[in-house]
Amino acid sequence: SGTPVKVAVTGAAGQIGYSLLFRLASGALLGPDRPIELRLLEITPALKALEGVVMELEDCAFPTLAGVQIGDDAEQIFDGVNLALLVGARPRGPGMERADLLEANGAIFTAQGKALNKVAADDVRIGVTGNPANTNALIAMTNAPDIPQERFTALTRLDHNRAISQLAAKTGAAVSDIKKMTIWGNHSATQYPDIFHAEIAGRNAAEVVDDQSWIENDFIPTVAKRGAAIIEARGSSSAASAASATIDAARDWLTGTPEGDWVSMAVASDGSYGIPEGVIYSYPVTTRDGRWEIVQGLEVDDFSRGKMDATAAELVEERDAVKELGLI
Ligand code: NAX
């Protein structure tokens, strides 16, 4: 037990929030013995709906939930937080250009970066789920100069989990037999889900599959376009799976990856694998004691190189666009 961990969630009244808050409150992050205090940030017009969600949280009588605070002031909500899950973002509306989207989100993530810089706990870790997640993380990171850069990550764990499940379905393996999956790059359609280093029950996954055409024409596009397929089927974007991945990512960051496996996380590139420094790029990482480390020394063939560079180029473009807008 001990002192409650203070976890902030932004966009708490949204779709993902409706799943995420209940999982967090029930102990999915650090187990049922570690009390958790939720700090929920929303925009003013959504506070009433958020009050309703808080009523439901109360009605669950979760033993793990030590307290809930809601509000529309980032400096109040982020005060002393140990973990900030930045989920709320501005969705792309009809007729909105990409630059408009970057600008609208830029305003949100500059303000939240500054607020975290000012009031978060010294050990704060920040996970960005709201899209465009990688570039939103870059904006928040750049606006929080006193927080070490490695404390900012963006979510590609949903893509990672989707890739594992697609590979399991193709091979008949159990998801628990699949290790060392990798998502490279941007959480967008240019991402590169890579099974060349993955293992199925200890055997190389690409060799087990033995079907380059499936990898190129089925697996990669299915994973990369899974979000669109869910919108098409469900009428709204993935929410429960995104919440689940947000928790997986935060839990593994805080508690460590198992021996012999790794996870995908978008982190500030240090130039590893020839990716330009500074962009928030998804890499295979291992984690320990709340720190991540990029897995080094993986062999990259021409096919993978092309895909890794294409998704890096998109991130460089996004970075240049937000630089131009004066957001970083
Ligand atoms: P919703 O539109 O249901 O909820 C977003 C919430 O954020 C709204 O309640 C809104 O009021 C709030 N919000 C907006 N601006 C805010 C601000 N400045 N401060 C606090 N709250 C603010 O979206 P939802 O389906 O929950 O998705 C949230 C974000 O996750 C979107 O950007 C979405 O694109 C992104 N996703 C990211 C995924 C990933 O794997 N990285 C996958 C799922 C999801 O698409």
Side-chain angles (χ1 to χ4, degrees):
S1 82
T3 48
V5 57
K6 294 188 178 68
V7 180
V9 176
T10 71
Q15 275 207 99
I16 294 175
Y18 197 65
S19 177
L20 180 60
L21 303 184
F22 296 85
R23 300 274 315 276
L24 288 170
S26 69
L29 185 67
L30 293 169
D33 296 330
R34 183 76 195 270
I36 184 170
E37 189 182 320
L38 290 176
R39 304 290 195 83
L40 310 180
L41 185 69
E42 258 297 349
I43 52 172
T44 318
L47 285 176
K48 176 124 192 284
L50 186 54
E51 280 171 21
V53 179
V54 173
M55 287 161 72
E56 286 202 74
L57 275 171
E58 289 167 2
D59 294 350
C60 293
F62 288 119
T64 322
L65 187 57
V68 186
Q69 201 180 312
I70 73 169
D72 57 7
D73 179 340
E75 283 191 22
Q76 264 174 29
I77 293 298
F78 291 157
D79 190 28
V81 297
N82 311 106
L83 176 69
L85 302 174
L86 307 185
V87 177
R90 179 77 188 279
R92 194 194 290 233
M96 219 170 156
E97 297 294 329
R98 205 165 69 134
D100 304 329
L101 185 73
L102 289 173
E103 193 163 16
N105 280 295
I108 295 172
F109 287 85
T110 47
Q112 292 182 0
K114 285 181 177 139
L116 285 165
N117 195 57
K118 204 161 159 191
V119 302
D122 283 345
D123 69 350
V124 70
R125 284 168 175 76
I126 298 123
V128 178
T129 296
N131 279 321
N134 301 52
T135 297
N136 287 342
L138 177 67
I139 294 169
M141 182 182 90
T142 310
N143 283 276
D146 302 328
I147 300 177
Q149 297 205 339
E150 67 268 16
R151 303 290 188 78
F152 288 84
T153 65
L155 188 75
T156 51
R157 183 59 175 268
L158 179 54
D159 309 297
H160 178 100
N161 289 346
R162 286 166 171 166
I164 288 175
S165 125
Q166 290 299 319
L167 183 60
K170 166 77 175 171
T171 59
V175 291
S176 53
D177 282 336
I178 298 179
K179 313 276 185 225
K180 301 185 178 176
M181 181 59 73
T182 304
I183 304 293
W184 300 97
N186 201 0
H187 168 67
S188 78
T190 67
Q191 67 176 264
Y192 171 41
D194 173 3
I195 67 164
F196 291 101
H197 309 288
E199 292 171 1
I200 304 176
R203 291 183 58 203
N204 180 274
E207 282 168 21
V208 173
V209 166
D210 191 27
D211 185 349
Q212 179 70 17
S213 160
W214 178 79
I215 293 173
E216 282 183 45
N217 305 316
D218 199 332
F219 172 73
I220 294 173
T222 298
V223 173
K225 295 179 192 161
R226 186 72 164 179
I230 285 164
I231 293 176
E232 171 74 21
R234 204 173 85 89
S236 36
S237 55
S238 24
S241 55
S244 195
T246 297
I247 288 180
D248 286 346
R251 184 201 56 226
D252 288 348
W253 190 2
L254 297 173
T255 65
T257 42
E259 199 56 44
D261 201 2
W262 65 57
V263 294
S264 305
M265 273 185 4
V267 299
S269 168
D270 61 355
S272 290
Y273 295 97
I275 302 307
E277 277 181 47
V279 296
I280 306 283
Y281 191 91
S282 180
Y283 282 106
V285 303
T286 55
T287 59
R288 206 183 162 160
D289 300 329
R291 296 169 161 272
W292 51 262
E293 218 171 287
I294 297 171
V295 175
Q296 298 294 340
L298 300 177
E299 228 173 273
V300 174
D301 68 8
D302 288 348
F303 174 78
S304 293
R305 184 78 258 164
K307 299 240 171 253
M308 288 160 66
D309 287 347
T311 189
E314 184 183 48
L315 284 168
V316 167
E317 250 178 58
E318 288 183 17
R319 179 195 59 195
D320 291 349
V322 296
K323 214 175 231 175
E324 193 125 309
L325 290 164
L327 301 169
I328 62 169

